[in-house]
Coordinates of all heavy atoms in Angstrom, one line a residue:
M1 N 0.8 -1.2 0.0 CA 0.0 0.0 0.0 C 0.9 1.3 0.0 O 0.6 2.2 -0.7 CB -0.9 0.0 1.2 CG -2.1 0.8 1.1 SD -3.2 0.3 -0.3 CE -4.2 1.7 -0.4
Q2 N 1.9 1.2 0.9 CA 2.8 2.3 0.9 C 3.5 2.5 -0.4 O 3.6 3.7 -0.9 CB 3.9 2.0 1.9 CG 4.7 3.2 2.5 CD 3.9 4.1 3.5 OE1 3.2 3.5 4.2 NE2 4.1 5.3 3.4
L3 N 3.9 1.5 -1.1 CA 4.6 1.6 -2.3 C 3.6 2.2 -3.4 O 4.0 3.1 -4.2 CB 5.0 0.2 -2.8 CG 5.8 0.2 -4.1 CD1 7.2 0.8 -3.9 CD2 6.0 -1.2 -4.7
A4 N 2.4 1.7 -3.4 CA 1.4 2.2 -4.4 C 1.2 3.7 -4.2 O 1.0 4.4 -5.1 CB 0.1 1.4 -4.3
L5 N 1.2 4.1 -3.0 CA 0.9 5.5 -2.6 C 2.1 6.4 -3.2 O 1.8 7.4 -3.8 CB 0.8 5.7 -1.1 CG -0.2 6.8 -0.7 CD1 -1.6 6.6 -1.2 CD2 -0.2 6.9 0.7
S6 N 3.3 6.0 -2.9 CA 4.5 6.8 -3.3 C 4.5 6.8 -4.9 O 5.0 7.7 -5.4 CB 5.8 6.2 -2.7 OG 6.0 5.0 -3.3
Q7 N 4.2 5.7 -5.5 CA 4.1 5.7 -7.0 C 3.1 6.7 -7.5 O 3.4 7.4 -8.5 CB 3.8 4.2 -7.5 CG 4.9 3.4 -7.7 CD 4.5 2.0 -8.1 OE1 3.4 1.6 -7.9 NE2 5.5 1.3 -8.7
F8 N 2.0 6.7 -6.8 CA 1.0 7.7 -7.2 C 1.5 9.1 -7.1 O 1.3 9.9 -8.1 CB -0.3 7.5 -6.4 CG -1.3 8.6 -6.6 CD1 -2.2 8.5 -7.7 CD2 -1.4 9.6 -5.7 CE1 -3.1 9.5 -7.9 CE2 -2.4 10.6 -5.9 CZ -3.2 10.6 -7.0
Y9 N 2.1 9.4 -6.1 CA 2.7 10.8 -5.8 C 3.8 11.0 -6.8 O 3.9 12.2 -7.3 CB 3.0 11.0 -4.4 CG 1.8 11.3 -3.6 CD1 1.4 10.4 -2.6 CD2 1.0 12.4 -3.8 CE1 0.3 10.6 -1.7 CE2 -0.1 12.7 -3.0 CZ -0.5 11.8 -2.0 OH -1.6 12.0 -1.2
G10 N 4.5 10.0 -7.0 CA 5.7 10.2 -8.0 C 5.2 10.5 -9.4 O 5.7 11.5 -10.0
N11 N 4.2 9.9 -9.8 CA 3.7 10.2 -11.1 C 3.0 11.5 -11.1 O 3.3 12.3 -12.1 CB 2.5 9.2 -11.5 CG 3.1 7.8 -11.8 OD1 4.2 7.7 -12.2 ND2 2.2 6.8 -11.7
H12 N 2.4 11.9 -10.1 CA 1.7 13.2 -10.0 C 2.7 14.3 -10.1 O 2.6 15.3 -10.9 CB 0.9 13.2 -8.8 CG 0.0 14.5 -8.7 ND1 -1.1 14.6 -9.5 CD2 0.2 15.6 -8.0 CE1 -1.6 15.8 -9.2 NE2 -0.9 16.4 -8.3
L13 N 3.8 14.2 -9.3 CA 4.8 15.2 -9.2 C 5.6 15.3 -10.5 O 5.8 16.4 -11.0 CB 5.8 14.9 -8.1 CG 5.2 15.2 -6.8 CD1 6.3 14.8 -5.7 CD2 4.9 16.7 -6.6
S14 N 5.9 14.2 -11.2 CA 6.7 14.3 -12.4 C 5.8 14.9 -13.5 O 6.3 15.6 -14.3 CB 7.2 12.9 -12.9 OG 6.1 12.1 -13.3
R15 N 4.6 14.7 -13.4 CA 3.7 15.3 -14.5 C 3.6 16.8 -14.2 O 3.5 17.6 -15.1 CB 2.3 14.7 -14.4 CG 1.6 14.8 -15.7 CD 0.1 14.1 -15.6 NE 0.3 12.8 -15.2 CZ -0.8 12.1 -14.6 NH1 -1.9 12.7 -14.3 NH2 -0.6 10.9 -14.2
F16 N 3.7 17.1 -12.9 CA 3.5 18.6 -12.5 C 4.8 19.3 -13.0 O 4.7 20.5 -13.5 CB 3.4 18.7 -11.0 CG 3.2 20.1 -10.6 CD1 1.9 20.7 -10.7 CD2 4.3 20.8 -10.0 CE1 1.9 22.0 -10.3 CE2 4.1 22.1 -9.5 CZ 2.9 22.7 -9.7
F17 N 6.0 18.7 -12.8 CA 7.2 19.4 -13.2 C 7.6 19.4 -14.6 O 8.3 20.2 -15.1 CB 8.3 18.9 -12.3 CG 8.3 19.3 -10.9 CD1 8.0 18.5 -9.9 CD2 8.4 20.7 -10.6 CE1 7.9 19.0 -8.5 CE2 8.3 21.2 -9.3 CZ 8.1 20.3 -8.3
K18 N 7.1 18.4 -15.3 CA 7.4 18.3 -16.7 C 6.7 19.5 -17.5 O 5.7 20.0 -17.0 CB 6.7 17.0 -17.3 CG 7.8 16.2 -18.1 CD 7.2 15.0 -18.7 CE 7.2 13.8 -17.8 NZ 6.4 12.6 -18.3
R19 N 7.4 20.0 -18.5 CA 6.9 21.1 -19.2 C 5.5 20.6 -19.8 O 5.4 19.6 -20.4 CB 7.8 21.5 -20.3 CG 8.9 22.3 -19.8 CD 9.6 23.0 -21.1 NE 10.8 23.7 -20.6 CZ 10.7 25.0 -20.0 NH1 9.6 25.6 -19.9 NH2 11.8 25.5 -19.7
E20 N 4.5 21.5 -19.7 CA 3.2 21.1 -20.2 C 3.1 21.1 -21.7 O 3.6 21.9 -22.3 CB 2.1 22.1 -19.7 CG 1.5 21.7 -18.4 CD 0.3 22.6 -18.1 OE1 0.6 23.8 -17.7 OE2 -0.8 22.2 -18.3
K21 N 2.5 20.0 -22.1 CA 2.2 19.8 -23.6 C 0.8 20.2 -23.9 O -0.1 19.9 -23.1 CB 2.6 18.4 -24.0 CG 4.1 18.0 -23.7 CD 5.0 18.4 -24.8 CE 6.4 17.9 -24.5 NZ 7.3 18.2 -25.6
C22 N 0.6 20.5 -25.1 CA -0.9 20.6 -25.6 C -0.8 20.2 -27.1 O 0.2 20.0 -27.7 CB -1.4 22.0 -25.4 SG -0.5 23.3 -26.3
L23 N -2.0 20.0 -27.6 CA -2.2 19.7 -29.0 C -2.6 20.9 -29.9 O -3.4 21.7 -29.4 CB -3.2 18.6 -29.1 CG -2.9 17.3 -28.4 CD1 -3.9 16.3 -28.6 CD2 -1.5 16.7 -28.8
C24 N -2.1 21.0 -31.0 CA -2.6 22.0 -32.0 C -4.0 21.8 -32.2 O -4.4 20.7 -32.5 CB -1.8 22.0 -33.3 SG -2.4 23.0 -34.6
F25 N -4.8 22.9 -32.1 CA -6.3 22.7 -32.3 C -6.6 22.2 -33.7 O -7.6 21.5 -33.9 CB -6.9 24.1 -32.1 CG -8.4 24.0 -32.2 CD1 -9.2 23.4 -31.2 CD2 -9.0 24.6 -33.2 CE1 -10.5 23.3 -31.3 CE2 -10.5 24.5 -33.3 CZ -11.2 23.9 -32.4
H26 N -5.8 22.6 -34.7 CA -6.1 22.3 -36.1 C -5.5 20.9 -36.5 O -6.3 20.0 -36.9 CB -5.5 23.4 -37.0 CG -5.8 23.0 -38.5 ND1 -7.0 22.8 -39.0 CD2 -4.9 22.8 -39.5 CE1 -6.9 22.5 -40.3 NE2 -5.7 22.5 -40.6
C27 N -4.3 20.7 -36.3 CA -3.7 19.4 -36.9 C -3.2 18.4 -35.8 O -2.7 17.4 -36.1 CB -2.5 19.7 -37.7 SG -1.0 20.4 -36.8
S28 N -3.5 18.8 -34.5 CA -3.3 17.9 -33.4 C -1.8 17.5 -33.2 O -1.5 16.5 -32.6 CB -4.1 16.6 -33.5 OG -5.5 16.9 -33.6
E29 N -0.9 18.4 -33.7 CA 0.5 18.3 -33.5 C 0.8 18.5 -32.0 O 0.2 19.5 -31.4 CB 1.2 19.3 -34.3 CG 2.7 19.3 -34.2 CD 3.3 18.2 -35.1 OE1 2.8 17.7 -36.0 OE2 4.5 17.8 -34.7
R30 N 1.6 17.6 -31.4 CA 2.0 17.9 -30.0 C 3.0 19.0 -29.9 O 4.0 19.0 -30.7 CB 2.7 16.6 -29.4 CG 1.8 15.8 -28.6 CD 2.4 14.5 -28.1 NE 2.9 14.7 -26.7 CZ 2.1 14.6 -25.6 NH1 0.8 14.4 -25.8 NH2 2.6 14.7 -24.5
M31 N 2.9 19.9 -29.0 CA 3.8 20.9 -28.8 C 3.8 21.5 -27.4 O 3.0 21.0 -26.6 CB 3.3 22.1 -29.8 CG 2.0 22.6 -29.4 SD 1.4 23.8 -30.5 CE -0.2 24.2 -29.8
R32 N 4.8 22.3 -27.2 CA 5.0 22.8 -25.8 C 3.9 23.9 -25.6 O 3.6 24.7 -26.5 CB 6.4 23.4 -25.6 CG 7.1 22.8 -24.4 CD 8.2 23.7 -24.0 NE 9.2 23.8 -24.9 CZ 10.1 24.8 -24.9 NH1 10.0 25.7 -24.0 NH2 11.0 24.8 -25.8
K33 N 3.3 23.9 -24.5 CA 2.2 24.8 -24.2 C 2.8 26.2 -24.0 O 2.3 27.2 -24.4 CB 1.5 24.4 -23.0 CG 0.1 25.0 -22.8 CD -0.7 24.3 -21.7 CE -2.1 24.8 -21.5 NZ -2.8 24.2 -20.5
E34 N 4.0 26.3 -23.3 CA 4.6 27.5 -23.1 C 5.1 28.2 -24.3 O 5.7 27.6 -25.2 CB 5.9 27.2 -22.2 CG 6.4 28.5 -21.5 CD 7.6 28.0 -20.6 OE1 7.5 27.4 -19.6 OE2 8.7 28.3 -21.1
G35 N 4.6 29.4 -24.6 CA 5.0 30.1 -25.7 C 4.3 29.8 -27.0 O 4.8 30.2 -28.1
A36 N 3.3 28.9 -26.9 CA 2.6 28.4 -28.1 C 1.8 29.5 -28.7 O 1.4 30.4 -28.0 CB 1.7 27.3 -27.8
L37 N 1.6 29.4 -30.0 CA 0.8 30.4 -30.7 C -0.6 30.1 -30.4 O -1.0 28.9 -30.1 CB 0.9 30.3 -32.2 CG 2.1 30.8 -32.9 CD1 2.2 30.3 -34.4 CD2 2.1 32.3 -32.9
T38 N -1.5 31.1 -30.3 CA -2.9 30.9 -30.0 C -3.7 31.7 -31.0 O -3.2 32.7 -31.5 CB -3.3 31.2 -28.6 OG1 -3.1 32.5 -28.4 CG2 -2.7 30.3 -27.6
T39 N -4.9 31.2 -31.3 CA -5.8 32.0 -32.1 C -7.2 31.9 -31.5 O -7.5 30.9 -30.8 CB -5.8 31.5 -33.6 OG1 -6.6 32.4 -34.3 CG2 -6.4 30.1 -33.7
V40 N -8.0 32.9 -31.7 CA -9.3 32.9 -31.2 C -10.2 32.3 -32.2 O -10.4 32.8 -33.3 CB -9.8 34.3 -30.8 CG1 -11.3 34.1 -30.3 CG2 -8.9 34.8 -29.7
F41 N -10.9 31.1 -31.9 CA -11.7 30.4 -32.8 C -13.0 30.2 -32.0 O -13.1 29.6 -31.0 CB -11.1 29.0 -33.1 CG -11.9 28.3 -34.2 CD1 -11.8 28.7 -35.5 CD2 -12.5 27.1 -33.9 CE1 -12.5 28.0 -36.5 CE2 -13.2 26.4 -34.9 CZ -13.2 26.9 -36.2
Q42 N -14.1 30.7 -32.6 CA -15.4 30.6 -31.9 C -15.3 31.2 -30.6 O -15.8 30.6 -29.6 CB -15.9 29.1 -31.9 CG -16.1 28.6 -33.3 CD -17.4 27.9 -33.4 OE1 -17.6 26.8 -32.9 NE2 -18.3 28.7 -34.0
H43 N -14.7 32.3 -30.4 CA -14.6 33.1 -29.2 C -13.9 32.4 -28.1 O -13.9 32.8 -26.9 CB -16.0 33.5 -28.6 CG -16.9 34.0 -29.7 ND1 -16.7 35.3 -30.2 CD2 -18.0 33.5 -30.3 CE1 -17.6 35.5 -31.1 NE2 -18.4 34.5 -31.2
V44 N -13.1 31.3 -28.4 CA -12.3 30.6 -27.5 C -10.9 30.6 -28.0 O -10.6 30.4 -29.1 CB -12.8 29.2 -27.3 CG1 -12.0 28.4 -26.3 CG2 -14.2 29.1 -26.9
S45 N -9.9 30.9 -27.1 CA -8.5 30.9 -27.4 C -8.0 29.5 -27.6 O -8.2 28.7 -26.6 CB -7.8 31.7 -26.3 OG -6.4 31.6 -26.7
Q46 N -7.5 29.1 -28.7 CA -7.0 27.7 -29.0 C -5.6 27.7 -29.3 O -5.1 28.7 -30.0 CB -7.8 27.2 -30.2 CG -9.3 27.2 -30.0 CD -9.8 26.0 -29.0 OE1 -8.9 25.3 -28.5 NE2 -11.0 25.9 -28.8
P47 N -4.8 26.8 -28.9 CA -3.4 26.7 -29.2 C -3.2 26.2 -30.6 O -4.0 25.2 -31.1 CB -2.9 25.7 -28.2 CG -4.0 24.8 -27.9 CD -5.3 25.7 -28.0
V48 N -2.3 26.8 -31.4 CA -1.9 26.3 -32.7 C -0.4 26.1 -32.8 O 0.3 26.9 -32.2 CB -2.5 27.2 -33.8 CG1 -4.0 27.0 -34.0 CG2 -2.1 28.6 -33.6
C49 N 0.0 25.2 -33.7 CA 1.5 24.9 -33.7 C 2.2 25.8 -34.6 O 3.5 25.9 -34.5 CB 1.6 23.5 -34.1 SG 1.1 23.1 -35.9
C50 N 1.6 26.4 -35.6 CA 2.3 27.2 -36.5 C 1.3 28.3 -37.2 O 0.1 28.2 -37.0 CB 2.9 26.4 -37.6 SG 1.6 25.6 -38.7
H51 N 2.0 29.2 -37.9 CA 1.1 30.2 -38.5 C 0.3 29.7 -39.6 O -0.8 30.3 -40.0 CB 2.0 31.4 -39.1 CG 2.6 32.2 -38.0 ND1 1.8 33.1 -37.4 CD2 3.8 32.3 -37.4 CE1 2.6 33.8 -36.5 NE2 3.7 33.2 -36.5
G52 N 0.6 28.5 -40.2 CA -0.2 28.0 -41.2 C -1.5 27.5 -40.6 O -2.6 27.7 -41.2
C53 N -1.5 26.8 -39.4 CA -2.7 26.3 -38.8 C -3.5 27.5 -38.4 O -4.7 27.5 -38.5 CB -2.4 25.5 -37.6 SG -1.7 23.9 -38.1
L54 N -2.8 28.5 -37.9 CA -3.5 29.8 -37.4 C -4.3 30.4 -38.6 O -5.5 30.7 -38.5 CB -2.5 30.7 -36.9 CG -2.9 31.9 -36.1 CD1 -1.8 32.4 -35.2 CD2 -3.2 33.1 -37.1
A55 N -3.7 30.4 -39.7 CA -4.3 31.1 -41.0 C -5.5 30.2 -41.4 O -6.5 30.7 -41.9 CB -3.3 31.2 -42.1
V56 N -5.4 28.9 -41.3 CA -6.5 28.0 -41.7 C -7.7 28.2 -40.8 O -8.8 28.4 -41.3 CB -6.0 26.5 -41.7 CG1 -7.3 25.6 -41.8 CG2 -5.0 26.2 -42.7
L57 N -7.5 28.3 -39.6 CA -8.6 28.5 -38.7 C -9.2 29.9 -38.9 O -10.5 30.0 -38.8 CB -8.1 28.4 -37.2 CG -7.8 27.0 -36.8 CD1 -7.1 26.9 -35.4 CD2 -8.9 26.1 -36.8
N58 N -8.4 30.9 -39.1 CA -8.9 32.2 -39.4 C -9.8 32.2 -40.6 O -10.9 32.7 -40.7 CB -7.8 33.2 -39.5 CG -7.2 33.6 -38.2 OD1 -7.8 33.3 -37.1 ND2 -6.1 34.2 -38.1
A59 N -9.3 31.5 -41.7 CA -10.0 31.4 -42.9 C -11.3 30.7 -42.8 O -12.3 31.1 -43.4 CB -9.1 30.8 -44.0
I60 N -11.3 29.6 -42.1 CA -12.5 28.9 -41.8 C -13.6 29.7 -41.2 O -14.8 29.7 -41.6 CB -12.2 27.6 -41.0 CG1 -11.4 26.6 -41.8 CG2 -13.5 26.9 -40.4 CD1 -10.8 25.4 -41.0
E61 N -13.1 30.5 -40.2 CA -14.1 31.2 -39.5 C -14.7 32.4 -40.3 O -15.8 32.7 -40.3 CB -13.5 31.8 -38.1 CG -14.5 32.0 -37.1 CD -14.0 32.3 -35.7 OE1 -12.9 32.9 -35.6 OE2 -14.6 32.0 -34.7
K62 N -13.7 33.0 -41.0 CA -14.1 34.2 -41.9 C -15.1 33.7 -43.0 O -15.9 34.5 -43.4 CB -12.8 34.7 -42.5 CG -12.9 36.2 -42.7 CD -11.5 36.8 -43.2 CE -10.5 36.9 -42.1 NZ -9.2 37.3 -42.6
N63 N -14.9 32.5 -43.5 CA -15.7 32.0 -44.5 C -17.0 31.2 -44.1 O -17.6 30.6 -44.9 CB -14.9 31.1 -45.5 CG -13.8 31.9 -46.2 OD1 -14.1 32.8 -47.0 ND2 -12.5 31.6 -46.0
G64 N -17.2 31.2 -42.8 CA -18.4 30.6 -42.3 C -18.4 29.1 -42.4 O -19.4 28.5 -42.6
L65 N -17.2 28.5 -42.3 CA -17.2 27.0 -42.5 C -17.0 26.3 -41.2 O -16.6 25.1 -41.2 CB -16.0 26.7 -43.4 CG -16.1 27.3 -44.9 CD1 -14.7 27.1 -45.6 CD2 -17.2 26.6 -45.6
V66 N -17.3 27.0 -40.1 CA -16.9 26.4 -38.8 C -17.7 25.1 -38.6 O -17.1 24.1 -38.1 CB -17.4 27.4 -37.7 CG1 -17.3 26.7 -36.3 CG2 -16.5 28.6 -37.7
D67 N -19.0 25.0 -38.8 CA -19.8 23.8 -38.6 C -19.2 22.6 -39.4 O -19.0 21.6 -38.9 CB -21.2 24.0 -39.0 CG -21.9 24.9 -38.0 OD1 -21.4 25.1 -36.9 OD2 -23.1 25.4 -38.3
E68 N -18.9 23.0 -40.7 CA -18.4 21.9 -41.6 C -17.1 21.4 -41.1 O -16.8 20.2 -41.0 CB -18.2 22.5 -43.0 CG -18.6 21.6 -44.1 CD -18.8 22.4 -45.4 OE1 -19.6 23.2 -45.5 OE2 -17.9 22.1 -46.3
Y69 N -16.3 22.4 -40.6 CA -14.9 22.0 -40.1 C -15.0 21.2 -39.0 O -14.3 20.1 -38.8 CB -14.1 23.3 -39.9 CG -12.8 23.1 -39.2 CD1 -11.8 22.6 -39.8 CD2 -12.6 23.5 -37.8 CE1 -10.5 22.4 -39.2 CE2 -11.5 23.3 -37.2 CZ -10.4 22.8 -37.9 OH -9.3 22.5 -37.2
L70 N -15.8 21.6 -38.0 CA -15.9 20.8 -36.8 C -16.4 19.4 -37.0 O -16.0 18.4 -36.4 CB -16.8 21.5 -35.8 CG -16.1 22.8 -35.2 CD1 -17.1 23.6 -34.2 CD2 -14.8 22.5 -34.5
R71 N -17.4 19.3 -37.9 CA -17.9 18.0 -38.2 C -16.9 17.0 -38.8 O -16.8 15.9 -38.4 CB -19.1 18.2 -39.2 CG -20.2 17.1 -39.1 CD -21.3 17.3 -40.1 NE -21.9 18.6 -39.9 CZ -22.2 19.4 -41.0 NH1 -22.1 18.9 -42.2 NH2 -22.8 20.6 -40.8
S72 N -16.1 17.6 -39.7 CA -15.1 16.8 -40.4 C -14.0 16.4 -39.3 O -13.4 15.4 -39.4 CB -14.5 17.4 -41.6 OG -13.8 18.5 -41.2
K73 N -13.8 17.4 -38.4 CA -12.8 17.1 -37.4 C -13.1 16.0 -36.5 O -12.3 15.1 -36.2 CB -12.6 18.4 -36.6 CG -11.3 18.7 -35.8 CD -11.3 20.1 -35.3 CE -10.4 20.2 -34.2 NZ -9.0 20.1 -34.5
H74 N -14.4 16.0 -36.2 CA -14.9 14.9 -35.3 C -14.9 13.5 -36.0 O -14.5 12.5 -35.4 CB -16.3 15.2 -34.8 CG -16.3 16.3 -33.8 ND1 -15.6 16.2 -32.6 CD2 -16.9 17.4 -33.6 CE1 -15.8 17.2 -31.9 NE2 -16.6 18.0 -32.5
I75 N -15.2 13.6 -37.3 CA -15.1 12.3 -38.0 C -13.7 11.8 -38.1 O -13.4 10.7 -37.9 CB -15.7 12.5 -39.5 CG1 -17.2 12.8 -39.4 CG2 -15.4 11.3 -40.4 CD1 -17.8 13.3 -40.6
D76 N -12.7 12.7 -38.4 CA -11.3 12.3 -38.4 C -10.9 11.7 -37.1 O -10.2 10.7 -37.1 CB -10.4 13.6 -38.6 CG -10.4 14.0 -40.1 OD1 -11.1 13.2 -40.9 OD2 -9.9 15.1 -40.5
Q77 N -11.2 12.4 -36.0 CA -10.7 11.9 -34.6 C -11.3 10.6 -34.4 O -10.8 9.7 -33.8 CB -11.1 12.9 -33.7 CG -10.1 14.1 -33.7 CD -10.5 15.2 -32.8 OE1 -11.7 15.2 -32.2 NE2 -9.7 16.2 -32.6
G78 N -12.6 10.4 -34.8 CA -13.3 9.2 -34.5 C -12.7 8.0 -35.3 O -12.5 6.9 -34.7
S79 N -12.2 8.2 -36.5 CA -11.6 7.1 -37.3 C -10.2 6.8 -36.9 O -9.7 5.7 -37.0 CB -11.7 7.4 -38.7 OG -10.9 8.5 -39.0
A80 N -9.6 7.8 -36.2 CA -8.2 7.6 -35.7 C -8.1 6.8 -34.5 O -7.1 6.1 -34.3 CB -7.5 9.0 -35.4
L81 N -9.2 6.8 -33.8 CA -9.2 6.1 -32.5 C -9.5 4.6 -32.7 O -10.2 4.2 -33.6 CB -10.2 6.6 -31.5 CG -9.8 8.0 -30.9 CD1 -11.0 8.6 -30.2 CD2 -8.6 7.8 -30.0
Ligands
ZN1 ZN1 -1.0 22.6 -36.4

């Protein structure tokens, strides 16, 4: 029991001290959260990996393709799992 508990705290602490990672909102590229680019998409600030992804999201919103984009995004994620 003691061992299990220290393992639990060990995992928790290492996760806390490791640099936080996040996924690009557009292409799901793993990247460091610190200093990441962000763009406002649907009034929510989202992390993006590069200016290319940022431009795509801006274009989608500007052209009113948000619903279509989100739908295809969910289909993509569903098939990847
Ligand atoms: Zn990206």
Side-chain angles (χ1 to χ4, degrees):
M1 201 61 195
Q2 196 79 32
L3 184 69
L5 208 65
S6 71
Q7 268 177 343
F8 172 77
Y9 281 115
N11 285 340
H12 187 75
L13 283 177
S14 69
R15 205 177 306 155
F16 182 78
F17 284 113
K18 233 182 270 171
R19 283 194 184 278
E20 264 191 287
K21 300 269 184 181
C22 63
L23 300 180
C24 172
F25 182 73
H26 178 58
C27 71
S28 301
E29 180 80 22
R30 255 176 105 77
M31 59 182 184
R32 237 201 292 162
K33 200 170 183 177
E34 197 182 282
L37 284 169
T38 59
T39 187
V40 176
F41 187 72
Q42 298 231 280
H43 313 288
V44 181
S45 178
Q46 301 285 2
V48 287
C49 68
C50 65
H51 285 282
C53 288
L54 192 153
V56 168
L57 289 174
N58 286 346
I60 286 164
E61 208 169 31
K62 212 175 283 176
N63 292 298
L65 299 169
V66 171
D67 287 345
E68 220 166 292
Y69 172 70
L70 290 177
R71 208 178 309 136
S72 68
K73 206 170 153 68
H74 286 305
I75 291 166
D76 281 355
Q77 281 171 354
S79 64
L81 287 170

